[in-house]
Amino acid sequence: MGAGACARPPTGGRTGGAVAATEPAPEGAPAGPTDRARPDVRGDALRTTGVLATGASGASGRRSVGSAHEGILRRRSARESAARTYARAIPIVPVRARGLTIEGADGRRYLDCLSGAGTLALGHNHPVVLEAIRKVLDSGAPLHVLDLATPAKDAFVTELFRTLPPGLAGNARVQFCGPAGTDAVEAALNLVRAATGRTAVLAFGGACHGMTAGSLEVPGGAADVRVARLPYPQDYRCPFGVGGDRGAELAARWTESVLDDPGSGVRQPAGLILEPVQGEGGVIPAPDAWSRRMRQITAERSVPLIADEVQTGVGRTGAFWAVEHSGIVPDVMVLSKAIGGSLPLAVIVYRDALDVRQPGAPAATFRGNQLAMAAGTATLAHVRENGLAERAATLGSHMLSRLRDLAHHFPGMGDVRGRGLMIGIEMVDPETDHRPDAVTPSRVTPEAVPPERGTPEEVTAPSSLDDPRVRADGADGRTAVPRQPPPPPAPELAAAVRRECLRRGLIVELGGRHSGVVRLLPPLTITDEQASAVLDRLADAIAAASRDHIRPNPTPPDPTRFQYSPPTAIGTQPVGQREDRDRHRQRHPVRSRSSHALGPDELRGDRADPAR
């Protein structure tokens, strides 16, 4: 599930009481009336009917823009619930958007790497999405028809089935749910409970599956109801303290023990639900071999496997569906967010053998959104036809590589991980006593691998989870050696990075167990130039935040390590390597980054802004 469904309370935020008439912008928030109103990407003056007056110029125009911006924020603070989340950390008033770019009511532009918590696969207001919506509006078709058959629904289902894993598409059924991902999770749980006659569910620590009553039973932080939680494999903070393949093997063995041990206290479950990449849990990709083991374990015990692809689907991770990385075919797929092309839409797709419910099973009134189906069809087709999943894999790999280079020089960047264009940076407190002997696959370099750990090739070799002869208890001759734990998470540093990003015109969000992971979810349409701009601004923000929270690294960054070589996949817009090298040398001079002072244009994000 996405951040919108499972957003954690912001650190230090109000949890109740009267709402003040004004809510001060967070430290580091962009200035309002002092920023000049800039023309939009088409060059015309900023016009927002009902919000900003047109025709204003000079100082009076800037005051008008700033006054409208501040007035909207004041009214929001006075009227809206204290439960709001994004609005606290991102005090902007979006009035126009296109692709990666958002323009605020104050005239500033931002590069949006939140993308509606992963909803906007094609970015804001993509032409194919707008055209699909206009066609429905112009046709006079009904916009709300419950679950009746319509041409828009037929086209959506046809395109959806064209993208599904082949092992599922041939014998699948689809159910339209309420408009949110949490509604689809509810429908999936109801489905497997009805099909199996059982009620218990297995889920994983760190998971996020929604905010309705049933969905709240399964996330990692929920109170125990009818759900047993299992350890989710992760290398950097392995729950068993060993990491790598061995840690994943132990997690798989734990699952087998819970299911097979009559004394485990867990009843035979109706299903097991997992995220192929935990988003809110901290951008943690499940090892492919572990995913295959979960498929084997559940299949052998007749336990339906539910894959929550609400945030990972539609090309986000470098495959159209994240389960395709491991090659597994789940019994149920939970889909929402990007499948609606920016409009609310949620479905579950499942094996027809599970289709045992009677008419009138729990559903929802708003499950026939014709505009969302049309927008979703256009989005699915555009991603498929233009190879945007493959593009996400290529560009995501380059972005991760550059961020990992950056992490060598900023000790507060504890771990860089992700898959495709779903990227996370875990910020840590490096001033805690620890030994840097915990080499993770995301940080493996020839010089970083101690001799006792083997060669880099051995460390990153295919997982032994695929070999049934390998014993997780070490009886096969291999031992699970505990490693020094990583530094503690630093949510304050992560929050400072987010603030500094906003100062520089970059929108990011936080996640992870302690809200200490900086998350990037750019649209799949991001260009190479825009990706470079995002990384430039993020690097500057990390440097600025680090100055106030940790001691500087005595070794200044080598500018040649940050050369960005954009991929050459179809549909990219390469940036010349000479221009790229010169830009990075300008951004990262061979000197202490603490001496780099940003000018007013940089604070506004005006430097060769691709948003222009």
Side-chain angles (χ1 to χ4, degrees):
M1 289 294 294
C6 302
R8 293 168 173 80
T11 303
R14 291 193 303 271
T15 56
V19 179
T22 60
E23 182 179 88
E27 178 186 353
T34 58
D35 279 355
R36 62 186 176 89
R38 296 164 50 197
D40 71 3
V41 291
R42 293 184 299 278
D44 57 342
L46 178 63
R47 294 188 296 270
T48 309
T49 304
V51 177
L52 302 179
T54 60
S57 62
S60 62
R62 289 193 294 272
R63 284 194 296 270
S64 175
V65 168
S67 176
H69 169 82
E70 292 183 343
I72 292 172
L73 293 180
R74 276 197 306 272
R75 289 188 291 275
R76 179 202 66 189
S77 177
R79 297 169 178 172
E80 290 189 29
S81 165
R84 63 190 182 278
T85 54
Y86 298 117
R88 294 182 183 278
I90 309 174
I92 67 175
V93 180
V95 295
R96 197 194 319 271
R98 186 66 173 261
L100 181 71
T101 306
I102 287 180
E103 184 172 351
D106 57 356
R108 298 190 72 229
R109 283 195 183 81
Y110 304 85
L111 301 182
D112 180 13
C113 281
L114 178 57
S115 298
T119 300
L120 305 171
L122 303 183
H124 295 276
N125 293 325
H126 194 280
V128 302
V129 173
L130 297 182
E131 179 62 23
I133 293 173
R134 288 191 190 101
K135 284 183 177 179
V136 175
L137 292 175
D138 293 342
S139 71
L143 300 183
H144 176 60
V145 291
L146 298 172
D147 60 0
L148 299 180
T150 68
K153 176 187 282 189
D154 183 64
F156 173 80
V157 173
T158 299
E159 182 60 39
L160 176 63
F161 274 49
R162 186 178 287 130
T163 69
L164 292 176
L168 180 60
N171 61 344
R173 295 287 185 272
V174 60
Q175 176 187 346
F176 287 82
C177 315
T182 186
D183 299 309
V185 171
E186 292 280 355
L189 298 178
N190 178 273
L191 173 74
V192 296
R193 283 167 172 159
T196 63
R198 304 189 288 263
T199 58
V201 175
L202 293 180
F204 292 90
C208 173
H209 297 289
M211 294 297 289
T212 53
S215 299
L216 282 172
E217 294 180 0
V218 286
D224 287 328
V225 184
R226 294 180 292 175
V227 178
R229 286 167 194 84
L230 305 167
Y232 191 88
Q234 52 175 313
D235 194 74
Y236 190 61
R237 297 193 185 279
C238 175
F240 304 102
V242 295
D245 291 349
R246 184 62 74 196
E249 290 168 8
L250 293 172
R253 180 63 62 88
W254 184 285
T255 301
E256 288 182 310
S257 175
V258 166
L259 287 169
D260 297 340
D261 183 358
S264 68
V266 177
R267 295 171 291 172
Q268 182 74 357
L272 181 148
I273 184 169
L274 61 81
E275 297 165 280
V277 180
Q278 283 195 347
E280 287 305 296
V283 192
I284 305 174
D288 291 338
W290 176 85
S291 297
R292 289 189 286 269
R293 178 71 75 84
M294 290 300 102
R295 174 68 283 187
Q296 177 186 4
I297 290 172
T298 53
E300 290 175 349
R301 292 159 180 81
S302 299
V303 176
L305 177 63
I306 306 169
D308 185 338
E309 291 255 19
V310 167
Q311 191 170 110
T312 57
V314 195
R316 168 63 55 189
T317 67
F320 208 100
W321 307 108
V323 293
E324 295 179 282
H325 291 291
S326 61
I328 68 170
V329 179
D331 299 293
V332 186
M333 290 178 65
V334 180
L335 313 177
S336 187
K337 288 191 182 293
I339 67 165
S342 76
L343 299 180
L345 187 65
V347 304
I348 58 172
V349 181
Y350 54 92
R351 295 184 185 276
D352 54 11
L354 298 173
D355 198 28
V356 300
R357 291 172 298 174
Q358 298 299 313
T365 298
F366 291 100
R367 61 189 188 275
N369 188 333
Q370 300 297 286
L371 292 180
M373 291 176 189
T377 302
T379 298
L380 295 172
H382 190 81
V383 171
R384 177 180 57 81
E385 293 168 358
N386 291 276
L388 294 189
E390 294 79 4
R391 159 75 172 157
T394 302
L395 183 56
S397 176
H398 280 262
M399 294 178 72
L400 283 167
S401 177
R402 183 177 163 195
L403 287 169
R404 286 166 183 158
D405 282 343
L406 191 67
H408 286 288
H409 303 283
F410 291 101
M413 297 174 66
D415 192 38
V416 176
R417 54 185 180 253
R419 202 154 206 175
L421 290 176
M422 190 172 183
I423 297 172
I425 307 164
E426 182 164 350
M427 308 306 295
V428 299
D429 177 5
E431 298 180 357
T432 301
D433 183 23
H434 71 287
R435 292 181 295 112
D437 60 354
V439 180
T440 68
S442 65
R443 304 291 289 276
V444 169
T445 60
E447 65 273 13
V449 181
E452 65 272 15
R453 292 291 303 276
T455 67
E457 292 75 15
E458 292 171 339
V459 172
T460 58
S463 174
S464 59
L465 269 72
D466 287 322
D467 187 349
R469 297 170 297 177
V470 174
R471 295 282 299 276
D473 57 8
D476 59 337
R478 298 170 59 196
T479 58
V481 180
R483 357 181 253 190
Q484 190 75 9
E492 297 85 2
L493 177 58
V497 170
R498 178 175 59 184
R499 289 194 300 270
E500 294 295 339
C501 282
L502 197 63
R503 284 181 182 272
R504 290 156 177 78
L506 176 63
I507 298 174
V508 300
E509 185 49 317
L510 306 183
R513 269 69 162 177
H514 303 276
S515 296
V517 177
V518 178
R519 302 183 60 199
L520 299 177
L521 291 167
L524 309 187
T525 53
I526 183 174
T527 66
D528 296 327
E529 182 183 12
Q530 289 173 332
S532 188
V534 165
L535 295 177
D536 283 346
R537 297 183 190 193
L538 180 59
D540 285 344
I542 291 173
S546 298
R547 287 196 296 268
D548 297 331
H549 287 79
I550 58 178
R551 289 192 295 268
N553 191 327
T555 304
D558 178 359
T560 63
R561 295 187 66 90
F562 303 106
Q563 293 183 14
Y564 177 65
S565 300
T568 58
I570 296 176
T572 64
Q573 300 179 14
V575 180
Q577 290 189 3
R578 180 182 300 274
E579 296 175 7
D580 184 74
R581 182 179 63 251
D582 293 340
R583 178 170 58 252
H584 285 295
R585 286 177 174 171
Q586 181 182 2
R587 303 289 183 265
H588 309 286
V590 186
R591 55 189 172 89
S592 172
R593 293 185 66 89
S594 62
S595 62
H596 177 65
L598 294 177
D601 286 343
E602 290 178 299
L603 287 174
R604 283 196 302 270
D606 287 356
R607 41 182 170 165
D609 192 347
R612 296 179 67 87

